[in-house]
Amino acid sequence: REAGLYNEHFGYNTLSEAEKKTIVAQFHSDTIASAENDMLNVIYEYTAKTVNGKEVKYLLVALEFGPSAECIVWAQDIISQPKYANHRVLFNTHSLIQSEGIYATKGASGYWGGLTNNTALDGHQLWSNFISKNPNMFLCASGHVSSETVMRREDKTEYGNNVMSML
């Protein structure tokens, strides 16, 4: 996949030194025109303080539209490392849920456009193979389709934690 325009505006070279330090890992596959500047699949680490002054650690997993199974395995390998056991995980991808609140599927007309790559995982596959398998996952965000309201849904992972997904 071509990522030139995205990386021109949001690539590694556009980040400040402080922002670059938050990057845990970047994923490059043969299906993406990869370069050091490629930021389509990235995991960031942040620490924030609550209003009570307690520090909370986060991982933000940001993946491309229709990530491959190989990309999901890479992300899972990173976030399941013991050093991230106490991090809350946010997941962002281009297309996860549709305006009706159901998980996006390749068969839904208008939602997957020209993406016919069989290695691309749709929203249902991302839930089944990645999101639902993570005990620290708590929030997912996506876009791709427009809606007059903010669409959201809440599901339980295999571990029983609630995950809020928003369009």
Side-chain angles (χ1 to χ4, degrees), residues 81-148:
Q81 292 177 15
K83 66 182 174 181
Y84 301 123
N86 296 318
H87 286 59
R88 300 195 75 201
V89 179
L90 299 95
F91 177 57
N92 181 59
T93 190
H94 183 82
S95 182
L96 180 66
I97 59 175
Q98 298 172 184
S99 56
E100 299 86 4
I102 60 174
Y103 285 108
T105 60
K106 290 180 190 175
S109 64
Y111 292 106
W112 283 78
L115 185 62
T116 57
N117 181 346
N118 287 335
T119 65
L121 299 181
D122 63 24
H124 178 73
Q125 293 167 316
L126 290 170
W127 170 261
S128 299
N129 298 312
F130 180 59
I131 301 164
S132 69
K133 300 193 178 305
N134 286 287
N136 295 351
M137 190 77 66
F138 77 100
L139 180 64
C140 300
S142 68
H144 188 67
V145 294
S146 61
S147 177
E148 291 182 14

